[in-house]
Amino acid sequence: MTRTRERRTPYHRLGLWLTRRLPGVYVLRYLWTPLDRLALRLTGGRRGLAPKAIPELLLTTTGRRSGERRSTPVLFLEHGEGYAVVASNYGRRRHPGWSYNLQADPRASVQIGTLRREMEARPATPEEFERLWPRFVEMWPGWKTYRRMTDRPFRMFVLEPRGPQRG
């Protein structure tokens, strides 16, 4: 049994069950994510809806057209001194807006709990994608469902530190 499986709570298993069915994906997409974003805002980033076994950060990018700062919760893996994130958009035909924003302006900030860091995003190399993708799927098997829902390749970004961290 993997470490991830050992830490799965009933709450975590519910999320995984939802990802196996299209209506469940819609629940995650249209209900869970907005509520997660709200919970993170209300708790100052200390707690979202993701089970504790699944690492989540609040990613803030600059809108490529509006110039406004936009924040969205995303799952992540630690990668070097930074993080890796996947732009799955729950299997929709289009990439998530935040990934377009990072392509237009790679400067971003992340918040994990109360820790805030300024980051610079870059696309993961093909080698990084191949190495990290199985780890992402182990953490959240729902990504396999999302892959079946679309023909587009998922973008993966590596977020690297731009400056000293603030806590």
Side-chain angles (χ1 to χ4, degrees):
M1 189 180 288
T2 66
R3 277 184 56 208
T4 302
R5 290 185 196 281
E6 291 169 2
R7 296 181 298 185
R8 288 190 180 155
T9 63
Y11 179 58
H12 187 172
R13 288 191 298 272
L14 170 65
L16 294 173
W17 179 81
L18 287 170
T19 65
R20 292 187 198 113
R21 292 150 184 83
L22 190 55
V25 171
Y26 288 125
V27 167
L28 291 171
R29 183 188 294 171
Y30 296 112
L31 184 63
W32 186 290
T33 297
L35 289 174
D36 191 24
R37 184 180 295 117
L38 178 63
L40 287 163
R41 282 189 188 144
L42 291 175
T43 64
R46 289 184 306 279
R47 193 72 194 109
L49 297 182
K52 290 182 182 181
I54 299 177
E56 176 183 52
L57 59 78
L58 190 62
L59 176 67
T60 303
T61 61
T62 301
R64 71 188 186 287
R65 288 185 271 196
S66 69
E68 294 180 21
R69 301 288 283 165
R70 309 265 184 206
S71 297
T72 190
V74 294
L75 304 183
F76 74 93
L77 290 175
E78 290 186 6
H79 183 63
E81 293 184 28
Y83 313 102
V85 295
V86 173
S88 69
N89 207 15
Y90 294 100
R92 290 179 177 150
R93 285 186 221 133
R94 292 180 46 89
H95 297 285
W98 62 262
S99 73
Y100 292 104
N101 294 345
L102 287 179
Q103 287 181 321
D105 181 355
R107 293 172 298 171
S109 62
V110 299
Q111 181 176 349
I112 303 170
T114 58
L115 172 69
R116 295 173 193 255
R117 297 179 76 186
E118 297 301 316
M119 308 300 278
E120 186 86 14
R122 65 170 176 79
T125 65
E127 294 80 17
E128 286 172 320
F129 191 100
E130 291 302 316
R131 188 173 65 251
L132 293 170
W133 180 249
R135 290 180 51 205
F136 272 108
V137 171
E138 179 183 358
M139 173 181 55
W140 185 250
W143 273 308
K144 290 188 290 190
T145 303
Y146 308 153
R147 285 291 313 130
R148 288 192 301 266
M149 294 171 64
T150 186
D151 292 331
R152 73 172 170 84
F154 288 166
R155 293 174 178 162
M156 185 183 293
F157 291 90
V158 174
L159 306 170
E160 297 171 327
R162 278 197 301 134
Q165 53 190 35
R166 303 185 311 265

